[in-house]
């Protein structure tokens, strides 16, 4: 693993009214790793992702992507940065009126000037990567929940991102599809050499896909370590979370189509 962080949160704080969601949070994320952010409901996981994407700005502290402060970027710079991010939204967030082909091609049309032939080639390649070849002309309504997630992943990787954000990737899926998505997260990391940030309350999935886990509590990262370190941790908060004694984690709200 490259020991120079690709993403850094330094002393980041943000409040909404009197609700101090993030309070002096520090977290470094390294190129090529899969890190999973866990925490109770309202702990700030979704806010963390929005701060990274420049959708929200911290009250204090800084967020860095490849050494550049996201909080100081112009709108043009933010758009350029977001090209390097893929997001798998919680509900897949497919456009119901568009075919699978057009859903996957959407970010390519937004950011690039490909010919129709080239678009078709890229879409076919990404569908093959997620194990769904030759479904370009299907509509979202004709897809199962698991297929929708995989089409959403194909769209997330359409632009060959450096970073993939997974928003509750296994929520609402049966065990078979949960395992399929977990295998794909691992496969994307290995095949595409991407950095992955997963937000989930599904601890078996977190253990399966992660290189490291980061636990958010009271606005700070109170634990960060490998899966084995988390499993054998004597840290009371970590033990409580892993053993299910923390409050139930609410599914994240969708990130609102920021990319």
């Amino acid at each position: 693993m490259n020991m120079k962080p690709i993403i850094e949160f330094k002393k980041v704080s943000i409040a909404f009214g009197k609700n101090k969601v993030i309070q002096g949070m520090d977290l470094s994320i390294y190129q090529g790793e899969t890190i999973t952010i866990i925490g109770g409901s309202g702990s700030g996981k979704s806010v963390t992702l929005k701060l990274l994407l420049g959708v929200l700005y911290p009250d204090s502290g800084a967020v860095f992507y490849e050494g550049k402060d996201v909080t100081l970027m112009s709108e043009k710079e933010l758009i350029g940065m977001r090209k390097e991010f893929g997001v798998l939204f919680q509900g897949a967030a497919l456009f119901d009126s568009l075919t699978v082909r057009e859903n996957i091609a959407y970010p390519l049309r937004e950011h690039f000037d490909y010919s129709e032939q080239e678009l078709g080639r890229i879409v076919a390649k990404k569908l093959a990567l997620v194990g769904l070849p030759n479904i370009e002309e299907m509509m979202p309504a004709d897809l199962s929940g698991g297929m929708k997630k995989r089409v959403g992943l194909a769209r997330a990787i359409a632009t060959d991102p450096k970073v993939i954000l997974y928003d509750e990737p296994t929520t609402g899926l049966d065990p078979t599809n949960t395992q399929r998505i977990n295998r794909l997260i691992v496969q994307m990391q290995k095949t595409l050499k991407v950095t992955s940030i997963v937000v989930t309350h599904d601890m078996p999935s977190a253990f399966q896909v992660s290189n490291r886990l980061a636990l958010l509590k009271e606005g700070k990262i109170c634990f960060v370590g490998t899966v084995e370190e988390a499993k054998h941790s004597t840290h009371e908060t970590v033990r409580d979370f892993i053993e299910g004694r923390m409050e139930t984690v609410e599914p994240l709200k969708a990130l609102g189509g920021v990319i």
Side-chain angles (χ1 to χ4, degrees):
M1 186 185 296
N2 186 337
M3 293 312 293
K4 184 179 180 181
I6 186 173
I7 293 162
E8 290 183 279
F9 294 85
K10 292 188 175 182
K11 305 296 182 192
V12 172
S13 297
I14 186 171
F16 301 99
K18 295 181 179 179
N19 184 17
K20 297 178 180 178
V21 180
I22 304 289
Q23 301 182 65
M25 185 184 80
D26 291 303
L27 180 63
S28 295
I29 298 170
Y30 297 95
Q31 192 163 344
E33 78 168 324
T34 296
I35 187 167
T36 297
I37 300 174
I38 56 177
S41 60
S43 61
K45 300 182 304 300
S46 61
V47 170
T48 298
L49 297 185
K50 290 177 180 179
L51 288 166
L52 172 56
L53 291 168
V55 177
L56 293 174
Y57 289 89
D59 298 325
S60 61
V63 182
F64 293 91
Y65 173 67
E66 293 192 324
K68 297 177 182 177
D69 190 342
V70 175
T71 65
L72 300 178
M73 287 183 181
S74 66
E75 189 62 29
K76 184 179 179 181
E77 288 173 316
L78 281 173
I79 291 169
M81 182 195 78
R82 290 172 188 158
K83 287 182 184 179
E84 300 185 0
F85 283 75
V87 182
L88 178 59
F89 297 101
Q90 183 183 323
L94 300 179
F95 297 105
D96 292 338
S97 60
L98 300 181
T99 63
V100 166
R101 179 184 191 276
E102 288 305 313
N103 265 283
I104 297 170
Y106 186 84
L108 295 168
R109 293 188 191 282
E110 286 283 295
H111 297 303
F112 303 98
D113 188 25
Y114 290 121
S115 67
E116 288 302 310
Q117 184 178 2
E118 188 68 6
L119 282 173
R121 186 191 67 78
I122 295 170
V123 169
K125 180 181 178 182
K126 303 308 180 185
L127 282 172
L129 267 177
V130 300
L132 290 174
N134 305 315
I135 68 160
E136 283 90 337
E137 300 312 314
M138 291 182 71
M139 300 298 289
D142 300 323
L143 305 176
S144 67
M147 291 174 75
K148 286 179 181 177
K149 287 275 189 178
R150 286 192 278 165
V151 170
L153 180 54
R155 183 175 64 187
I157 63 173
T159 58
D160 294 325
K162 292 182 180 179
V163 181
I164 303 178
L165 308 181
Y166 295 92
D167 172 10
E168 295 284 0
T170 59
T171 295
L173 298 182
D174 60 41
T176 300
N177 277 308
T178 293
Q179 286 302 309
R180 184 176 280 133
I181 292 297
N182 288 341
R183 285 194 298 269
L184 281 171
I185 292 173
V186 174
Q187 180 190 334
M188 292 305 107
Q189 181 196 19
K190 291 179 178 177
T191 305
L192 306 177
K193 311 298 183 188
V194 295
T195 303
S196 303
I197 303 173
V198 182
V199 171
T200 187
H201 66 281
D202 180 348
M203 287 310 301
S205 291
F207 286 150
Q208 189 173 337
V209 306
S210 308
N211 299 119
R212 292 193 303 151
L213 302 170
L215 176 58
L216 251 179
K217 188 182 182 187
E218 295 176 355
K220 295 183 179 180
I221 299 293
C222 68
F223 168 87
V224 60
T226 65
V227 169
E228 287 305 307
E229 287 169 343
K231 286 180 176 179
H232 297 106
S233 175
T234 57
H235 192 298
E236 185 178 354
T237 306
V238 178
R239 293 254 46 89
D240 284 350
F241 193 87
I242 290 174
E243 293 168 11
R245 291 201 296 265
M246 285 185 73
E247 60 179 316
T248 303
V249 178
E250 296 172 353
L252 282 178
K253 294 181 177 68
L255 290 173
V258 293
I259 294 181

